[in-house]
Amino acid sequence: MDSPLSAISLFFLFSFLSLAYSSTIGVQYISKLLEIQDRERAPPSLQVAAARGVLLRLLPSHSSAFEFRIISKEKCGGGACFIIRNHPSSCKHGAPEILISAVTGVEVLAGLHWYLKYLCGSHISWQKTGGAQLFSVPKLGSLPRVQDAQILVQRPIPWSYYQNAVTSSYTFSWWDWERWEQEIDWMALQGINLPLAFTGQETIWKKVFQKFNVTDSDLDDFFGGPAFLAWSRMGNLHGWGGPLPQSWFNEQLNLQKKILARMYELGMTPVLPAFSGNVPAALKNIFPSAKITRLGNWFSVKSNVKWCCTYLLDATDPLFIEIGRTFIEEQLKEYGRTSHIYNCDTFDENTPPVDDPAYISSLGAAIFSGMQSGDDNAVWLMQGWLFSYDPFWRPLQMKALLHSVPLGKLVVLDLFAEVKPIWITSEQFYGVPYIWCMLHNFAGNIEMYGILDTVASGPIEALTSENSTMVGIGMSMEGIEQNPIVYDLMSEMAFQHKKVDVKSWIELYIARRYGRSIPSIRDAWSILYHTIYNCTDGAYDKNRDVIVAFPDVSPSFISSPSESCQHYGKPTSRRAILREKTDSYDQPHLWYSTSEVIKALELFIASGDELSASNTYSYDLVDLTRQALAKYANELFLEIIDAYQLKDVDGVTSLSQKFLDLVEDMDTLLACNDGFLLGPWLESAKQLAQNDKEKKQFEWNARTQITMWFDNTEEEASLLRDYGNKYWSGLLRDYYGPRAAIYFKLLIESLEEGEDFKLKKWRREWIKLTNNWQKSRKLFPVERNGNALNVSRSLYNKYFSSDS
């Protein structure tokens, strides 16, 4: 059997050992900021202590085996690097074996991760996606030695960015310090040095607005609930899920201080928020002459002004700069320091009222002035999502905004670069520094999906392009804790100078993730690489599988052509499809052969006897089985509609029951792994509450975000329904299954009564089910139950074997 170290010879096929420091025009533009940040960084002793704390939490048994040191950039060729050497005293009994030197605590830990990955064959993942595989690390005194004088790995570009403005709600909503500490450890090990730090900002805003005579009661309708704060901050909605209790303000501010302290200790550059113009309604009455306009509807049903149509203070109004300065100053007062980089997304899904370039330029200049008036060294970090999302931003408008700020004082996140890179079509953002980002995940949906070849090449193409203004590589997903292979590769690109050979890299990944590499698993991953993780159709995935995003559409909108098709490798005579695209039914995105993925699942199951004890294998097996069953459910739904079109009551009845049985089976499968449970999401929400009233509110927030998301009426569902859907055990059995049962019941009633499908009745019953479920206090397990291999094998035999 292959050991993980047998693949290390492949190590030298990659561009891992780099001695050439790359630079771009963009890096030159931000050089002054980098110098300031270097001067203001935590003392070396503090960074080393923080890095050792991470090592103690990760691998306490080997804490004495490593020594960490902080070195100057000059020893790295003028940039950032880590150097791994055999410790000069390693021959002495009990002395450290490995010496890791780097410019900051972050690079020290990136070096530790590199050593564990490529010399010890270990793997570090989020806890929910299998956790750390460290049993391959040899015992003390036997750690692998560095063969040459040293391993030196340099950053080709200064920054490794992390987070999306909405990750704070889709993933971080209910995190306590223990979970945040784990994440900061993970960030540092991945080499992330530029993370957003958005927690607790509502407390700062409260203090700021009080200085402008806005009362606490005025703010009750301004802030959204804990699960919807991201969109409240961006001015998309107000009040939804609120008001926030005082305990939330207190606890989140304390949490933010711990987060910032640890980030600074490790040498990170946390990005703080800035004023975007989003203001409470009361400010319009307090300052009647201020240029405050009400924005349009953002996905609320019937333009419900109770939640939508927030107020925006025009950046050209003198009050804007005053509030912007006060907000920066209040953060400095509360936190004691800053990294001088501030995120502001005034136009994120909020289109400016006028497209005149001069007006847009004045807006951009005023937004930056608000930051700079509070911090002379301020740099504006802006998400570039608006350039992908909104056709308003044509070249003239883009240039007007990007050039409204002095060169080097604005950095843009090319947020969706793995699918729709703006750096190419905008001539490198018209000369403005930018960070190449992988968005990858929307709403924290659970779906096996990725574009590994683009991840392995896109950042390098951007970095080495002519007149490159790139200054960083980033991960800007909306939700984390899924698709670990994608994030393992993407985080490593922060240290790559050349394109990665993905096929060879995956062979190493397999050995590291499972602690060993066996032929059947290698064959399975070869299939997954060329199917699931090779989405080259230009589309992006936002999970709309029927189970988790049930179609809100009458069956009359679905027709059945006569041509045959392949259904999981089996011929079928008919297949229902949409007659036309409607707003009610987003067809699931399928970019690969399902029969090939079924073969990969078969190979995974065949490897189970050798890998069943591995947490990483268990997670991947459940996820792959779930993926296959989800696509099978999509086909099964179309068969039900097909039978309905044929007026086959018995067919609809039997197929509907098969669909509902499948949902139950999937729930049982998901219960076998901690990464697919509803319980932890709900319980973590309640654990942040101080009393029963808050528990009800927080749990309602948690349940609502993953179901209806936003407001609805009795007969009209939320426009964002199921946007945050999740394949979680408990959610399928308790909500998705009963919802599907309502639809199928009405299909059968329609045929039996010879009447049209009662769409309004379906919506009424579904919305009633949802409202009741969101208010429910039912408990769900927080620990796995069941054997993943046994359940996966059973479900494969039931649904995919030749006898099924």
Side-chain angles (χ1 to χ4, degrees):
M1 196 62 60
D2 294 340
S3 75
L5 294 181
S6 66
I8 295 303
S9 59
L10 290 172
F11 178 80
F12 297 100
L13 296 177
F14 296 94
S15 58
F16 289 158
L17 307 184
S18 174
L19 298 176
Y21 182 75
S22 301
S23 186
T24 69
I25 296 172
V27 174
Q28 298 171 29
Y29 294 152
I30 62 167
S31 59
K32 181 181 178 182
L33 173 65
L34 295 174
E35 291 172 4
I36 293 171
Q37 291 173 340
D38 286 343
R39 289 198 303 269
E40 296 180 350
R41 218 174 297 281
S45 59
L46 188 58
Q47 293 187 59
V48 167
R52 291 206 62 80
V54 176
L55 173 60
L56 282 166
R57 288 185 290 276
L58 176 70
L59 198 60
S61 60
H62 288 63
S63 61
S64 63
F66 297 91
E67 181 180 334
F68 298 154
R69 292 180 186 171
I70 300 297
I71 58 176
S72 67
K73 280 187 174 181
E74 285 67 33
K75 293 184 179 180
C76 288
C81 78
F82 57 79
I83 302 171
I84 307 172
R85 296 189 180 102
N86 298 318
H87 198 280
S89 303
S90 58
C91 58
K92 298 179 182 179
H93 178 71
E97 299 174 59
I98 300 296
L99 171 64
I100 302 177
S101 305
V103 296
T104 72
V106 170
E107 275 84 26
V108 163
L109 290 167
L112 172 66
H113 188 195
W114 200 277
Y115 178 83
L116 294 174
K117 284 172 73 170
Y118 291 112
L119 276 78
C120 299
S122 298
H123 173 74
I124 296 171
S125 178
W126 289 298
Q127 198 63 36
K128 279 192 174 184
T129 58
Q133 183 288 104
L134 297 170
F135 63 80
S136 61
V137 179
K139 63 182 180 180
L140 281 176
S142 304
L143 289 182
R145 295 183 63 79
V146 177
Q147 295 304 307
D148 297 318
Q150 65 182 25
I151 296 173
L152 185 151
V153 179
Q154 294 177 310
R155 287 188 186 272
I157 208 82
W159 285 329
S160 179
Y161 171 80
Y162 185 57
Q163 293 180 41
N164 185 298
V166 302
T167 320
S168 58
S169 289
Y170 280 130
T171 298
F172 307 154
S173 290
W174 316 114
W175 282 10
D176 56 12
W177 169 242
E178 180 181 3
R179 180 61 188 87
W180 262 111
E181 184 174 56
Q182 293 173 12
E183 191 69 11
I184 296 171
D185 288 355
W186 180 89
M187 289 184 207
L189 289 161
Q190 307 300 326
I192 292 163
N193 60 7
L194 189 68
L196 289 185
F198 274 17
T199 303
Q201 63 177 278
E202 281 64 38
T203 306
I204 307 295
W205 283 120
K206 192 175 182 180
K207 294 181 178 182
V208 168
F209 284 126
Q210 284 174 345
K211 293 184 176 181
F212 292 88
N213 300 317
V214 178
T215 67
D216 287 355
S217 60
D218 290 332
L219 294 173
D220 284 346
D221 185 49
F222 181 60
F223 300 123
F228 301 98
L229 282 175
W231 302 276
S232 174
R233 292 165 180 169
M234 292 188 291
N236 302 133
L237 53 80
H238 64 95
W240 181 248
L244 292 173
Q246 185 58 44
S247 64
W248 179 268
F249 292 101
N250 298 339
E251 293 303 317
Q252 291 297 296
L253 181 62
N254 290 334
L255 182 57
Q256 170 75 337
K257 290 179 178 179
K258 291 180 180 179
I259 292 168
L260 288 175
R262 180 60 54 79
M263 287 178 173
Y264 286 130
E265 287 169 5
L266 287 166
M268 292 180 180
T269 301
V271 178
L272 295 175
F275 180 50
S276 66
N278 181 31
V279 295
L283 205 72
K284 189 171 180 63
N285 297 324
I286 297 170
F287 297 92
S289 61
K291 298 177 185 176
I292 299 176
T293 58
R294 191 155 203 179
L295 298 174
N297 184 31
W298 187 84
F299 292 112
S300 74
V301 170
K302 299 186 182 300
S303 299
N304 190 341
V305 294
K306 186 175 182 181
W307 318 116
C308 84
C309 314
T310 55
Y311 289 92
L312 186 71
L313 174 63
D314 193 298
T316 62
D317 191 290
L319 186 60
F320 188 102
I321 295 177
E322 197 175 341
I323 294 176
R325 179 180 65 251
T326 305
F327 182 60
I328 298 295
E329 290 174 345
E330 196 63 40
Q331 289 186 96
L332 287 168
K333 176 182 176 183
E334 199 68 53
Y335 305 143
R337 62 167 297 181
T338 175
S339 294
H340 310 295
I341 303 184
Y342 303 93
N343 171 257
C344 177
D345 296 306
T346 298
F347 310 114
D348 194 349
E349 302 188 13
N350 288 324
T351 303
V354 180
D355 69 355
D356 176 39
Y359 172 73
I360 292 172
S361 182
S362 67
L363 289 179
I367 290 168
F368 179 66
S369 294
M371 300 176 203
Q372 194 176 40
S373 63
D375 179 356
D376 290 339
N377 297 310
V379 170
W380 177 6
L381 180 73
M382 180 181 72
Q383 291 192 149
W385 174 247
L386 69 166
F387 303 133
S388 298
Y389 176 86
D390 194 341
F392 171 90
W393 295 99
R394 303 178 300 281
L396 284 177
Q397 286 70 30
M398 279 186 68
K399 287 180 183 178
L401 180 60
L402 296 174
H403 292 170
S404 65
V405 176
L407 194 57
K409 292 294 187 175
L410 172 65
V411 176
V412 184
L413 300 175
D414 198 354
L415 207 71
F416 203 16
E418 86 278 20
V419 172
K420 192 176 180 181
I422 303 299
W423 71 269
I424 297 175
T425 58
S426 66
E427 303 170 21
Q428 306 267 352
F429 286 91
Y430 303 111
V432 171
Y434 75 96
I435 297 175
W436 194 104
C437 292
M438 176 193 74
L439 206 166
H440 181 258
N441 178 272
F442 289 82
N445 295 158
I446 296 172
E447 168 87 348
M448 294 182 76
Y449 158 79
I451 320 173
L452 293 181
D453 284 340
T454 299
V455 169
S457 62
I460 305 303
E461 290 171 356
L463 178 64
T464 58
S465 63
E466 186 177 0
N467 297 322
S468 176
T469 56
M470 183 174 162
V471 295
I473 294 170
M475 296 184 284
S476 56
M477 63 287 119
E478 290 191 352
I480 64 168
E481 299 175 321
Q482 34 73 32
N483 289 289
I485 189 172
V486 176
Y487 295 89
D488 195 315
L489 178 58
M490 186 64 227
S491 61
E492 192 173 289
M493 295 308 296
F495 296 95
Q496 291 288 1
H497 294 246
K498 296 180 180 179
K499 296 178 183 180
V500 169
D501 179 338
V502 179
K503 183 177 182 296
S504 299
W505 185 90
I506 288 177
E507 290 187 23
L508 284 175
Y509 175 83
I510 296 164
R512 293 189 288 104
R513 183 154 172 83
Y514 308 126
R516 61 198 306 188
S517 179
I518 58 179
S520 55
I521 282 289
R522 288 200 298 267
D523 291 344
W525 270 106
S526 178
I527 293 172
L528 296 180
Y529 167 41
H530 292 103
T531 54
I532 283 174
Y533 292 111
N534 186 38
C535 183
T536 58
D537 60 8
Y540 63 91
D541 201 61
K542 179 170 65 68
N543 193 303
R544 305 308 296 177
D545 286 338
V546 172
I547 289 177
V548 295
F550 205 86
D552 179 26
V553 63
S554 168
S556 63
F557 280 93
I558 303 174
S559 61
S560 299
S562 58
E563 65 266 21
S564 65
C565 67
Q566 289 294 112
H567 172 65
Y568 281 86
K570 305 171 187 177
T572 60
S573 60
R574 304 173 66 87
R575 181 189 177 201
I577 63 170
L578 272 183
R579 178 178 298 159
E580 60 184 49
K581 182 173 176 61
T582 72
D583 291 335
S584 302
Y585 184 13
D586 292 336
Q587 295 185 66
H589 177 204
L590 187 63
W591 61 96
Y592 58 85
S593 165
T594 53
S595 60
E596 288 189 60
V597 171
I598 296 302
K599 177 61 177 175
L601 175 58
E602 181 182 349
L603 291 167
F604 248 85
I605 292 171
S607 309
D609 292 336
E610 296 176 82
L611 296 176
S612 59
S614 165
N615 289 332
T616 47
Y617 168 79
S618 173
Y619 174 88
D620 291 346
L621 176 63
V622 170
D623 201 19
L624 182 54
T625 309
R626 176 210 56 75
Q627 181 83 6
L629 289 172
K631 304 312 171 190
Y632 176 74
N634 293 341
E635 295 287 345
L636 189 54
F637 172 76
L638 295 176
E639 290 185 28
I640 293 168
I641 299 302
D642 202 24
Y644 176 85
Q645 300 289 6
L646 295 172
K647 303 187 185 304
D648 180 2
V649 178
D650 291 340
V652 172
T653 301
S654 62
L655 289 169
S656 296
Q657 188 57 54
K658 187 175 182 180
F659 186 100
L660 297 175
D661 289 344
L662 173 58
V663 174
E664 293 276 328
D665 286 341
M666 288 184 71
D667 195 278
T668 300
L669 167 74
L670 297 172
C672 296
N673 190 274
D674 292 336
F676 301 94
L677 302 179
L678 169 64
W681 172 254
L682 300 182
E683 292 307 308
S684 61
K686 289 186 283 186
Q687 286 170 9
L688 290 186
Q690 302 293 312
N691 52 52
D692 193 60
K693 180 181 177 182
E694 291 179 13
K695 284 183 179 180
K696 289 180 180 178
Q697 180 190 4
F698 291 4
E699 184 171 1
W700 182 91
N701 268 253
R703 286 171 175 261
T704 298
Q705 189 205 86
I706 60 177
T707 52
M708 198 61 80
W709 205 107
F710 208 5
D711 67 326
N712 56 260
T713 64
E714 289 185 0
E715 292 186 351
E716 190 169 350
S718 165
L719 300 175
L720 292 174
R721 60 189 178 276
D722 295 324
Y723 188 88
N725 68 69
K726 302 290 186 294
Y727 275 106
W728 281 344
S729 176
L731 189 57
L732 273 73
R733 190 183 302 271
D734 207 51
Y735 177 69
Y736 292 140
R739 175 173 65 177
I742 294 172
Y743 192 88
F744 296 148
K745 177 194 71 173
L746 294 176
L747 281 181
I748 294 168
E749 283 183 9
S750 170
L751 292 177
E752 290 177 338
E753 297 171 3
E755 297 179 353
D756 291 340
F757 181 80
K758 297 182 176 66
L759 186 61
K760 287 188 176 181
K761 184 177 181 181
W762 144 249
R763 287 175 177 161
R764 283 196 300 271
E765 293 193 24
W766 161 36
I767 291 168
K768 181 180 179 181
L769 167 74
T770 306
N771 291 341
N772 289 338
W773 194 85
Q774 289 169 178
K775 297 173 185 175
S776 174
R777 307 294 300 279
K778 181 178 177 179
L779 298 176
F780 295 90
V782 295
E783 295 180 351
R784 64 188 175 202
N785 178 35
N787 183 289
L789 178 58
N790 290 345
V791 174
S792 292
R793 183 180 284 135
S794 174
L795 295 182
Y796 174 85
N797 290 332
K798 181 175 180 179
Y799 293 103
F800 303 125
S801 72
S802 57
D803 298 329
S804 63

